[in-house]
Amino acid sequence: MRALVTGAAGFIGTNFVRQTLARKREGIDRLVALDLLTYAGNYANLTGLESDPRFRFVRGDVADRDRVAALVAEEAIDVIVHCAAETHVDRSIVDGAPFLVTNVHGTLALLEAVRGRPGFRCFLHVSTDEVYGSVAEGRSTESAPLRPSSPYAASKAAADGFVFAYAATYGVPAVITRCSNNYGPYQFPEKLIPLFVTNALDGESLPLYGDGMNVRDWLHVEDHAEALWHVLGLRAAPGEVFNISAENEMPNRALTEQILRLLDRPANLVRYVADRPGHDRRYALDPGKLRATGWRPQVSFADGLARTVAWYRERRAWWEAIKSGTYRDYYDRMYSGRLAGSSAAPREPGV
Ligand code: NAD
Ligand code: TDX
């Protein structure tokens, strides 16, 4: 198997690549890592892998059609795990344009590169639970309608649409996975868990949006990586979709309390701030279809969160390097106004 992993220097890509090469998976002859190294990509995450003869890192843009097509041909790629994306909802609310380019044009460029390619086995498109929108009750199955709320989610839903279209129109062997919120090592500290852990370690405020009762469904990134390999092994029909969830639903407020307990930090670090516009109240995936094929998550949330918190505590140099320079500007832009108007007590829903 000759695999191309896009977004390999990001959070999920890094964990997927490291786990794949460390386990010496049968059948991996080549792993080409493609990443543009945007603000979210960090080449240092892949340190140490260069000595593995199966591994090659390429800096490049997934939306660059010619580059992507040439790479796929040159490396005789037969499997693609497509993780590259613009991924932060709050940034997409400020400007959706980079999300359209990378998430939609990028996915299209990859699909074009494999269309009609003899011997090509699988294009695995890593999508998200956010395409289903907020789920008031029950759990989204793979056939639930797509109702994206944020520009980010809209771009992912559009990319899913191109995957369906290429499967139906050209028979491209492409499948979609939709996972819930991942957590674990190497996550960029703009996302809730690494942001709150690193802020708490520095004694800084933890800005909880709205009333802090939005519910997310947490999946350890190692379980996610295993699930991706499991899906690749299924040889599913073109256009199949698989939800990936460990069914670990939790309101943000309860998660924040757990983080503070693990770090032995005071509850008064929490500040309730103005809500995210269009903030989905709850995500909940039904993973029954994948489970019926034998996949099971292995990491309990208590153990996974404790290990994750310990990882950031022990890797101060990793996140301090990120939380400087342009990150500080981003943080001020996103949070200084919000924190100035914050309160110690929860707000009413939607306030
Ligand atoms: P991330 O932001 O940590 O990493 C994204 C990576 O993509 C970065 O390394 C970045 O440099 C790279 N990239 C961005 N634009 C690129 C471009 N034009 N060309 C090449 N590389 C580019 O994101 P993540 O959390 O690792 O997410 C990976 C995938 O999983 C995304 O498709 C995301 O939508 C999906 N997803 C993530 C989560 C989650 O909780 N993290 C949940 C559901 C789905
Ligand atoms: O400062 C914050 N305060 C806060 O209350 C941040 C950054 C987040 N939140 C809330 C918003 C969400 O309810 O925490 C929850 C999680 O927020 P994020 O970490 O931004 O993740 P989310 O918006 O749920 O999206 C994530 O999961 C699905 C990823 O960023 C997406 O890429 C993925 O598709």
Side-chain angles (χ1 to χ4, degrees):
M1 192 186 297
R2 299 179 65 86
L4 173 67
V5 180
T6 70
F11 165 49
I12 293 171
T14 292
N15 282 283
F16 180 79
V17 167
R18 287 197 162 279
Q19 198 164 315
T20 297
L21 294 175
R23 301 223 178 138
K24 302 220 178 311
R25 283 187 182 274
E26 292 298 314
I28 283 282
D29 303 307
R30 186 75 163 155
L31 196 159
V32 179
L34 175 66
D35 200 298
L36 187 57
L37 299 179
T38 66
Y39 80 91
N42 189 347
Y43 183 69
N45 291 354
L46 303 169
T47 304
L49 300 181
E50 310 87 344
S51 57
D52 189 319
R54 297 169 298 172
F55 180 76
R56 175 184 172 198
F57 179 81
V58 176
R59 184 172 190 180
D61 187 346
V62 286
D64 179 343
R65 279 193 183 206
D66 295 343
R67 184 85 196 279
V68 164
L71 186 63
V72 165
E74 173 196 331
E75 288 282 358
I77 295 298
D78 54 15
V79 167
I80 294 179
V81 178
H82 178 34
C83 297
E86 287 290 339
T87 61
H88 195 38
V89 171
D90 293 329
R91 291 184 194 254
S92 80
I93 293 168
V94 175
D95 183 6
F99 291 75
L100 176 64
V101 173
T102 289
N103 301 0
V104 183
H105 289 278
T107 303
L108 183 57
L110 287 158
L111 287 165
E112 268 298 304
V114 301
R115 169 155 81 95
R117 200 179 151 67
F120 185 77
R121 288 155 70 164
C122 190
F123 178 88
L124 195 167
H125 177 62
V126 177
S127 186
T128 171
D129 57 2
E130 301 208 13
V131 296
Y132 299 120
S134 201
V135 186
E137 278 171 17
R139 297 180 159 270
S140 315
T141 62
E142 288 80 356
S143 56
L146 304 191
R147 294 193 178 283
S149 304
S150 69
Y152 160 73
S155 70
K156 295 295 288 187
D160 285 14
F162 274 100
V163 176
F164 289 136
Y166 270 60
T169 308
Y170 308 112
V172 168
V175 296
I176 295 173
T177 56
R178 297 188 180 133
C179 62
S180 58
N181 283 57
N182 281 223
Y183 69 104
Y186 299 106
Q187 189 168 26
F188 193 86
E190 64 188 352
K191 307 286 165 43
L192 181 72
I193 290 182
L195 176 66
F196 279 18
V197 171
T198 57
N199 276 12
L201 283 167
D202 277 348
E204 278 191 43
S205 301
L206 311 187
L208 259 184
Y209 295 160
D211 65 353
M213 291 307 286
N214 297 67
V215 171
R216 293 295 181 265
D217 175 2
W218 295 97
L219 172 70
H220 195 276
V221 68
E222 283 168 12
D223 278 332
H224 185 199
E226 283 300 330
L228 296 179
W229 277 111
H230 182 89
V231 169
L232 284 169
L234 293 176
R235 297 187 172 256
E240 286 274 344
V241 181
F242 295 92
N243 288 343
I244 308 176
S245 157
E247 297 175 277
N248 259 319
E249 273 184 55
M250 196 175 302
N252 295 333
R253 213 192 282 179
L255 171 58
T256 305
E257 283 160 11
Q258 288 197 38
I259 291 171
L260 288 171
R261 243 194 326 273
L262 284 164
L263 289 170
D264 196 21
R265 292 295 195 277
N268 65 8
L269 286 181
V270 175
R271 301 296 304 175
Y272 288 86
V273 300
D275 208 352
R276 169 187 281 175
H279 195 177
D280 284 330
R281 192 66 173 160
R282 173 175 177 260
Y283 297 136
L285 286 175
D286 181 339
K289 180 176 173 186
L290 188 62
R291 278 188 162 241
T293 69
W295 176 79
R296 295 279 177 282
Q298 302 297 322
V299 183
S300 74
F301 189 69
D303 176 50
L305 186 66
R307 282 199 281 132
T308 300
V309 167
W311 192 89
Y312 292 97
R313 193 168 40 202
E314 287 154 20
R315 300 290 191 102
R316 177 172 277 276
W318 181 86
W319 53 265
E320 268 188 352
I322 294 170
K323 289 181 94 174
S324 60
T326 54
Y327 179 94
R328 283 292 5 140
D329 301 337
Y330 160 81
Y331 196 81
D332 290 346
R333 235 183 8 258
M334 288 293 191
Y335 292 102
S336 54
R338 269 179 161 142
L339 282 167
S342 68
S343 57
R347 291 160 180 254
E348 295 305 311
V351 175

